Amino acid sequence: EKEKYTKGGGEACSVRNCSNNRRKLYLWNNTQCEEHEGLQHKDCPCMKPYKLHTLPKKEEVRLQWIAALNRASLPKNILVCSSHFLD
C-alpha cells in the first residue's frame, strides 16, 4: 500500500513564511512519543504541535483574517495554524 503524503505538503498554513501543514501533522502523529514509551503521538496524551483552522464563516471576522494575512493572492483553501494565535 502506498504511504499517504509521500509527496507535497498537503494543505498548508496561509501565513507568509509558515511551513506548518497537514503532512507534517500526519508524520508527527505516526512517530514515537519521547515521553510515553511505546506509544505513537496519535495514541498518547501529548498535545499536538499545532492545529489548522479554516476561515470563520462570519463575514466580518473572515474579512479581518484575510486582511491580517496581507497577501496579494490567497490559496484556494485558506488555513491558519494555531501557532499564529494568542491563547
Side-chain angles (χ1 to χ4, degrees):
E1 180 180 310
K2 191 173 183 179
E3 185 180 334
K4 191 175 183 181
Y5 294 121
T6 55
K7 292 183 181 178
E11 293 178 315
C13 179
S14 298
V15 174
R16 195 181 322 266
N17 297 322
C18 182
S19 62
N20 291 336
N21 59 49
R22 289 207 195 280
R23 180 178 186 268
K24 284 184 179 182
L25 280 178
Y26 174 83
L27 294 173
W28 181 84
N29 274 326
N30 291 293
T31 58
Q32 288 287 115
C33 177
E34 298 81 28
E35 292 184 37
H36 303 98
E37 192 173 321
L39 291 178
Q40 289 186 325
H41 282 114
K42 65 182 173 189
D43 299 321
C44 77
C46 289
M47 205 165 106
K48 289 185 176 186
Y50 57 88
K51 294 179 182 178
L52 291 168
H53 302 277
T54 57
L55 284 179
K57 294 197 185 295
K58 188 175 179 183
E59 188 67 22
E60 182 180 326
V61 180
R62 183 182 190 89
L63 292 173
Q64 288 174 345
W65 277 38
I66 291 171
L69 287 171
N70 193 26
R71 292 182 56 163
S73 64
L74 292 169
K76 182 179 178 182
N77 296 321
I78 300 171
L79 300 170
V80 177
C81 73
S82 56
S83 301
H84 306 291
F85 293 93
L86 301 175
D87 291 338

